[in-house]
Amino acid sequence: KKGEVKLDQPLPVSVNAASMPATNLALSAGDTITVATAIQAMIIRSANDVAVVVAEALSGSESVFAQKMNAKAVALGMTHTVFRNPNGLPDPQQHTTARDIATLAVALHRDFPQFYSYFTQARFNFRGRTYITHNHFMLRYPGADGLKTGYIHLSGFNLAASAVRNGRRLVAV
């Protein structure tokens, strides 16, 4: 929002980012990825390696980025959320609630309407490969316009979804 990062800006891939487990884009240390592609990779592919690339580029490290995520969560009123990493991989101290994720989803649409179209995309291309969303709700529900799916073994599948009907937006988690 401040213009400090540009959508076509290349972000460097560190050894740490390249070591992230699946789901990922199989990036290698020394690679770069643009901000725009990184956004698509995180939303559509849930790319753990890309989430770390972005965290390191914006804050220098995963832990500092997680601190910023926690500060933003508090500012948004997400009272039952603690982030420990940028990609949602398991950490015993990391937790959230459906209500807090709904709060985040509403804030994304409200505060960044110019970027919300990223959450409506169903596919993106990277290095000659097409990645397709796991968000089948968005593809099949009339009026659905996006947001995000996820999966972690400990909690299973999850979905934050948004739909508009008759001019009214609903968010469900």
Side-chain angles (χ1 to χ4, degrees), residues 4-171:
E4 296 172 3
V5 177
K6 305 294 182 203
L7 292 173
D8 62 351
Q9 179 178 330
L11 304 177
V13 178
S14 69
V15 171
N16 180 44
S19 73
M20 291 295 118
T23 302
N24 57 44
L25 288 186
L27 298 173
S28 297
D31 287 347
T32 61
I33 186 170
T34 66
V35 170
T37 302
I39 293 168
Q40 292 173 311
M42 290 185 295
I43 294 169
I44 296 168
R45 177 74 175 155
S46 296
N48 295 320
D49 51 355
V50 176
V52 173
V53 167
V54 170
E56 291 174 344
L58 295 180
S59 300
S61 72
E62 288 183 83
S63 61
V64 173
F65 189 76
Q67 291 170 8
K68 289 180 179 181
M69 291 171 67
N70 289 322
K72 179 55 81 171
V74 168
L76 291 173
M78 297 169 63
T79 58
H80 295 91
T81 295
V82 174
F83 295 111
R84 291 292 182 236
N85 59 55
N87 47 25
L89 289 174
D91 182 296
Q93 296 178 339
Q94 184 161 263
H95 58 272
T96 191
T97 64
R99 178 182 294 273
D100 280 2
I101 294 299
T103 297
L104 178 60
V106 169
L108 281 168
H109 188 269
R110 178 192 68 228
D111 298 343
F112 299 98
Q114 72 275 32
F115 298 114
Y116 189 76
S117 64
Y118 280 104
F119 290 94
T120 70
Q121 294 178 7
R123 65 181 39 84
F124 79 104
N125 295 307
F126 182 71
R127 294 187 178 159
R129 181 171 176 195
T130 300
Y131 295 92
I132 300 173
T133 185
H134 299 279
N135 189 348
H136 298 282
F137 176 82
M138 184 182 69
L139 300 175
R140 296 185 182 134
Y141 187 82
D145 68 353
L147 286 181
K148 180 79 183 78
T149 65
Y151 176 83
I152 293 294
H153 181 71
L154 293 172
S155 61
F157 294 98
N158 56 77
L159 169 67
S162 173
V164 178
R165 285 200 182 163
N166 301 321
R168 184 174 181 173
R169 175 173 305 279
L170 296 177
V171 171

